[in-house]
Amino acid sequence: MNTVKTVRELRAAVARARSEGKRIAFVPTMGNLHSGHVALVTKASQRADFVVASVFVNPLQFGAGEDLDKYPRTLAADQEKLLQAGCHLLFAPTVDEMYPDGMTGQTRVSVPQLSEGLCGASRPGHFEGVATVVSKLFNMVQPDLAIFGEKDFQQLAVIRALVHDLNMPIQIIGEPTVRATDGLALSSRNGFLNEEQRAVAPVVYRTLSEIAGSIKQGERDFPALIGMKLQQLEAAGLRPDYLEIRHALTLRPATAQDRDLVILVAAFLGTTRLIDNLHLNLDAPV
Ligand code: PAF
């Protein structure tokens, strides 16, 4: 696996693979890779002949007071994991390489509606930062397909929309969330949890599963159900940011008649913000 740091080297390496008739898959990441990322790269190597990954902690998607500075940077370990997972090319640019003219005047990509509410409400500008960097990366790599984790459900919806709306010829594939045996969704931010918090954290997914269970059994009073489960999260010591039931495709608030649902949560455990979701399609075969 080759690691390149400049757009020029990246383009040259991808062009070589393309000239050999290879199909290109792309896995964008912010590094500090765990088994969830490895699953994305493994899927990429099953779907394409040449796998490109990126590691870039994108300042544009972090708000003031968020964890940009303490976000873990572990490039050597990431390189090892990517190599093992079948990655062919790693793009690990500096901030200057990605934003050579600074970020203030940088053209932005904004996806209305889907970016609003949920994480968009508590992290203003976050999805504009994500949509902008992903658009730039897509233009640099020009992959045939790109793979993202379903753990960031709203992010995936935003990226699908931008690719559709801007006519980018890239297939977007969502890969199921990888969980620890106790249900906690793997995340680079889990490393911020102390032992006591880590023991509490599985309540997040347990809560989502219980809500899904109640809906499957016919419960349709969503506000009451959510109110009860918010209390459960608070009683466990979390500070919920949101817990909502939405329509899985449009992300608008779900009605009692909707069949394709997603339950989404964001909650603070100490200073660590955990997010998770559970997709529940009531018409899917069991
Ligand atoms: O999900 C992430 O790791 C990031 O938001 C992404 C998509 C790599 C953009 O910086």
Side-chain angles (χ1 to χ4, degrees):
M1 184 187 74
N2 236 347
T3 300
V4 294
K5 292 194 172 288
T6 64
V7 179
R8 205 185 142 101
E9 293 167 299
L10 169 71
R11 284 197 199 280
V14 174
R16 256 193 314 275
R18 183 74 74 197
S19 72
E20 290 161 9
K22 291 184 174 157
R23 189 170 149 80
I24 317 280
F26 179 42
V27 181
T29 81
M30 295 207 300
N32 193 234
L33 305 181
H34 50 66
S35 314
H37 298 107
V38 170
L40 305 183
V41 177
T42 305
K43 171 59 81 61
S45 63
Q46 290 160 357
R47 295 281 189 112
D49 315 297
F50 191 75
V51 178
V52 183
S54 62
V55 167
F56 178 62
V57 182
N58 173 35
L60 207 60
Q61 69 187 73
F62 288 78
E66 288 190 349
D67 53 0
L68 172 63
D69 292 339
K70 70 168 186 173
Y71 200 88
R73 281 131 171 115
T74 53
L75 188 61
D78 293 344
Q79 284 171 310
E80 191 52 42
K81 287 178 191 158
L82 289 169
L83 177 68
Q84 297 303 328
C87 178
H88 300 98
L89 179 67
L90 168 61
F91 179 48
T94 60
V95 173
D96 280 349
E97 182 68 15
M98 287 299 286
Y99 301 111
D101 303 316
M103 284 179 287
T104 316
Q106 165 70 49
T107 300
R108 312 278 174 123
V109 177
S110 110
V111 179
Q113 297 177 345
L114 285 170
S115 296
E116 292 151 20
L118 304 168
C119 287
S122 34
R123 303 187 67 189
H126 170 67
F127 287 117
E128 194 177 79
V130 170
T132 301
V133 79
V134 168
S135 301
K136 282 168 74 77
L137 289 165
F138 280 176
N139 283 330
M140 292 167 183
V141 178
Q142 301 191 354
D144 297 291
L145 59 104
I147 308 197
F148 294 84
E150 287 176 352
K151 178 177 157 279
D152 296 296
F153 197 91
Q154 189 178 13
Q155 168 173 284
L156 182 55
V158 165
I159 290 166
R160 284 191 200 284
L162 89 83
V163 163
H164 175 264
D165 293 351
L166 299 180
N167 304 85
M168 295 183 178
I170 302 172
Q171 185 190 0
I172 302 298
I173 298 172
E175 183 64 12
T177 303
V178 177
R179 299 182 179 283
T181 46
D182 59 12
L184 179 65
L186 297 194
S187 161
S188 301
R189 291 190 169 95
N190 292 352
F192 296 144
L193 300 174
N194 64 31
E195 207 177 316
E196 200 181 315
Q197 292 167 334
R198 177 60 189 82
V200 168
V203 71
V204 173
Y205 184 60
R206 208 159 51 237
T207 302
L208 295 178
S209 306
E210 287 167 7
I211 294 172
S214 298
I215 296 173
K216 278 193 218 157
Q217 282 167 16
E219 178 60 78
R220 289 295 178 275
D221 186 347
F222 294 159
L225 183 57
I226 290 294
M228 195 173 74
K229 292 300 175 185
L230 279 170
Q231 280 177 16
Q232 173 170 313
L233 289 174
E234 281 163 7
L238 286 99
R239 189 162 50 82
D241 182 359
Y242 61 79
L243 175 63
E244 296 199 33
I245 305 171
R246 297 269 180 133
H247 184 271
L249 281 183
T250 62
L251 290 187
R252 62 163 168 69
T255 68
Q257 286 70 45
D258 284 330
R259 310 285 300 165
D260 193 8
L261 304 170
V262 58
I263 312 152
L264 304 116
V265 64
F268 285 92
L269 196 43
T271 54
T272 306
R273 187 170 179 277
L274 301 175
I275 64 168
D276 202 352
N277 67 81
L278 197 159
H279 185 181
L280 174 64
N281 187 341
L282 294 168
D283 293 327
V286 271

